[in-house]
Each structure stands twice: as C-alpha cells, then as structure tokens.
Amino acid sequence: MLKTIESLATISRAEFLLPNLGSLIMGLAWGATPSTNIRDLVVMIILSFTIINVSSAIGAQANTFSDRELDSKDERKKQLVEATNSFGVNRLKKVLIIEFALTLILVFLFMSIQQKPILLILWIVGICLGCVYSLPPIRLKSRSWLAPISLILVLAVFPVLFAYYTFTDEMNPFFLLSLTGLALTVYGVIIPTEIRDYFGDKAMDIETMTVRLGLVKASLLGIVLLATGAILTATAFFLEWTYGLHSWLSVFLLAIPVTVIFVLGKFKKLHSLSKELASSKNQASVAEDIVSLSADNPKWIMLVTQTYSIMSIILLMSKFLL
C-alpha cells in the first residue's frame, strides 16, 4: 500500500507542491482584502489550494503517462518510469478519470458557493489544456510555438487567475502587470529544461520550441524572457506599494535582481556552451556539459519563484497589518 502511494506521488510530481503554493500565494496576495472574514478566507485558501494541487497532479500524471516511452531512454527520469510501471498503466488511467470527476464536482460546488462562474471556466479550460499538452493525438508539447503558449497558460496564468478570482471580483491593472511578468518568467526558466531534453527530443522528432530555434537562440530567449519578466514583476509590486502609500516596502524588491542576476549567470553559461557546441570538434563532451548544467534548472526555478512568493507574502501582510 505504501509503495503504491509513493509511486503515485512520484508520478504526480509532488515536487510541484511549492510552485503551486506560489500560485496560491500570488493570487491571494493580489486578490484578498482586509474586509474578508478570516474564517471564510481560511476555507477559500484550503479549497483553492486543494483544487490547484489536484489539477496539477492530473496534468503531471497525464504527462508521465504519455512520455513513458521517451523517459525510459533517459537515466534521469528512470524513477518516473519505474513508478509508472509499479503503479500500473491501467490503474493510472482509472485514477486520472476518478480525479478529474471528483475535482470537477468540487470546482462546481466551489463555484456555486462563491457565485463565480469564471472559476469553473478557468478550471475546465486549464485542465483540458494541461491534458492535451501531453496526450495524443493533439500533444501540444510537440507542436513548436503552441507548446510555450500552453505551458505559460497552464503553469502560470490559469492557476494564479483561479486563486485571484477566488478572493475578488475586481481586476487590478498592477496585478495584470505582475501576472504578465510571471508568465514571461515561467517560460524563461522552463527553457533550460527543454535544453536538457533537446538531444532526446530532437532524436524522437519532438519539435519543442527549443528544438525549432536551436540551442543558441533558445538559451538567448530564456535570458530575455527571464530578465523582462523580472522587471515587469518588480515594477508591478513597486507601483502597488507606491499607490498604496507603502513605497518603503520597495526595498524588499532588491531580492528580485539579486536572485535573477545569479540565475542569468547560469543561463549565460548555457548560451556560451551552446555556441561552443556549434564549432567544437568534441561535440559529445560539450553536449554532456550542456545537459549536466541544465539539469540544475529545478533549483533555479525554485530560487526565482520563491523570491516572487516572498514578495507576494509581503504584499499580503501589508494589506492586513499596515
């Protein structure tokens, strides 16, 4: 029983818990108001976080299910393949159906209580997009420019919007600016993951955006997106605090450039290695260096997203304490 639970947790990518928490925190920070009843606030937090997490697990399970053949050729993803085989493919299909049905019921009830149809719409579009990203015959992840668009929507836009509209009906222009920054940042930090998978994807004729652009252009795009996203995000918090007469809180925003500059240093190294690969006589060695460096990307993602989450927590605290 314990092994079955462990296998399901592995397939569901339990490591996404913190990024999902970041989505909730950002939506909560921008959407919540001091007038909200504390008991209602706690209930809404628990329900929205549950929905976001289960939806994330469904998407991760669909991705693991559809990529098991490709992942079996990658030593770094051996654990995913073993977990899938241990849990059972047929059982995983049944779990996906049950999870989808139960979450749909929960979202419908949540929407009815909140009287916000947009919550159901966001969830349906988001979960469907997350599934067709991985599953054939559509499989958006292998359709070049459609892949990054769907990833941005599924990983950044829809979860944060769902959390945001849980707590408010109004649209804050500074929130939109912050969300745009987050969307650009998310795909920017995902590009090194695509770079890590570049050689396998290319061999399997999976045309991700990175495969289409090539390593040099893709790594440069990652640098541009991350830098631009960080600027927009920091600007959004600065404007929110300035207009809220708490401009002194902007000193905390220094954490964003410190973190992003560190990560950009890693991105620039990837860019240099990518250019070296094109002219190197020992391409196998350089390719191995690229894969090895880009494999550290989960740490970079955590650094950037958690820095954004800290800014959101400060914003939330300023609403209730200042």
Side-chain angles (χ1 to χ4, degrees):
M1 181 65 178
L2 181 60
K3 186 177 180 181
T4 299
I5 295 174
E6 289 177 349
S7 296
L8 183 60
T10 300
I11 298 168
S12 304
R13 309 297 294 271
E15 65 270 22
F16 289 163
L17 184 64
L18 276 179
N20 292 338
L21 180 60
S23 297
L24 173 68
I25 291 172
M26 184 173 178
L28 169 64
W30 285 96
T33 59
S35 60
T36 307
N37 180 279
I38 295 299
R39 186 183 64 181
D40 292 342
L41 187 66
V42 171
V43 172
M44 288 189 291
I45 288 173
I46 293 173
L47 286 175
S48 58
F49 189 48
T50 299
I51 291 168
I52 290 172
N53 266 313
V54 176
S55 301
S56 173
I58 292 172
Q61 290 162 9
N63 186 66
T64 303
F65 170 76
S66 62
D67 282 1
R68 63 191 187 284
E69 181 180 347
L70 179 61
D71 290 346
S72 65
K73 301 176 182 179
D74 189 338
E75 281 297 317
R76 290 158 303 156
K77 297 182 179 180
K78 186 178 180 181
Q79 186 179 12
L80 279 175
V81 177
E82 290 177 348
T84 304
N85 293 335
S86 174
F87 190 79
V89 173
N90 290 331
R91 181 191 288 181
L92 180 58
K93 291 179 182 177
K94 295 176 182 177
V95 167
L96 277 168
I97 294 172
I98 293 171
E99 286 175 339
F100 182 88
L102 291 178
T103 311
L104 175 59
I105 294 171
L106 180 60
V107 174
F108 183 81
L109 292 174
F110 190 43
M111 174 208 68
S112 301
I113 294 171
Q114 294 286 89
Q115 295 185 338
K116 295 178 180 178
I118 192 172
L119 294 177
L120 181 60
I121 295 170
L122 285 170
W123 183 81
I124 291 176
V125 175
I127 198 69
C128 290
L129 193 58
C131 289
V132 299
Y133 172 78
S134 302
L135 297 174
I138 299 177
R139 196 168 165 78
L140 292 174
K141 71 183 299 180
S142 62
R143 295 181 182 270
S144 187
W145 61 271
L146 287 174
I149 292 176
S150 56
L151 266 181
I152 288 171
L153 290 173
V154 169
L155 297 181
V157 177
F158 286 126
V160 176
L161 277 178
F162 186 91
Y164 179 80
Y165 277 114
T166 295
F167 305 103
T168 187
D169 293 314
E170 301 176 357
M171 180 49 69
N172 182 337
F174 301 147
F175 164 71
L176 283 180
L177 183 63
S178 175
L179 185 60
T180 302
L182 177 67
L184 295 178
T185 299
V186 164
Y187 191 63
V189 294
I190 283 175
I191 285 178
T193 303
E194 292 189 356
I195 289 175
R196 180 199 64 192
D197 297 337
Y198 171 82
F199 302 100
D201 288 342
K202 191 174 182 180
M204 293 288 289
D205 291 324
I206 298 176
E207 192 179 353
T208 62
M209 182 61 80
T210 297
V211 171
R212 185 182 181 88
L213 292 176
L215 290 176
V216 176
K217 291 181 179 179
S219 55
L220 181 59
L221 178 62
I223 292 171
V224 172
L225 289 177
L226 176 55
T228 305
I231 291 171
L232 292 179
T233 301
T235 301
F237 281 108
F238 174 77
L239 291 173
E240 177 70 14
W241 284 328
T242 299
Y243 277 83
L245 303 180
H246 302 305
S247 57
W248 61 271
L249 289 172
S250 299
V251 68
F252 292 107
L253 292 174
L254 291 173
I256 293 180
V258 170
T259 301
V260 170
I261 288 172
F262 170 78
V263 175
L264 284 175
K266 304 296 184 180
F267 278 37
K268 289 179 180 178
K269 178 63 175 176
L270 274 178
H271 185 245
S272 298
L273 286 171
S274 298
K275 290 195 292 185
E276 183 181 339
L277 179 68
S279 58
S280 175
K281 294 182 179 178
N282 189 7
Q283 289 192 333
S285 176
V286 179
E288 186 177 336
D289 290 341
I290 290 173
V291 172
S292 177
L293 178 59
S294 57
D296 288 334
N297 191 48
K299 300 175 184 176
W300 310 338
I301 293 174
M302 193 65 67
L303 274 173
V304 175
T305 56
Q306 293 311 301
T307 300
Y308 286 9
S309 292
I310 290 171
M311 296 304 107
S312 296
I313 291 172
I314 295 173
L315 173 60
L316 180 64
M317 292 175 65
S318 70
K319 286 186 174 183
F320 285 87
L321 300 178
L322 299 179

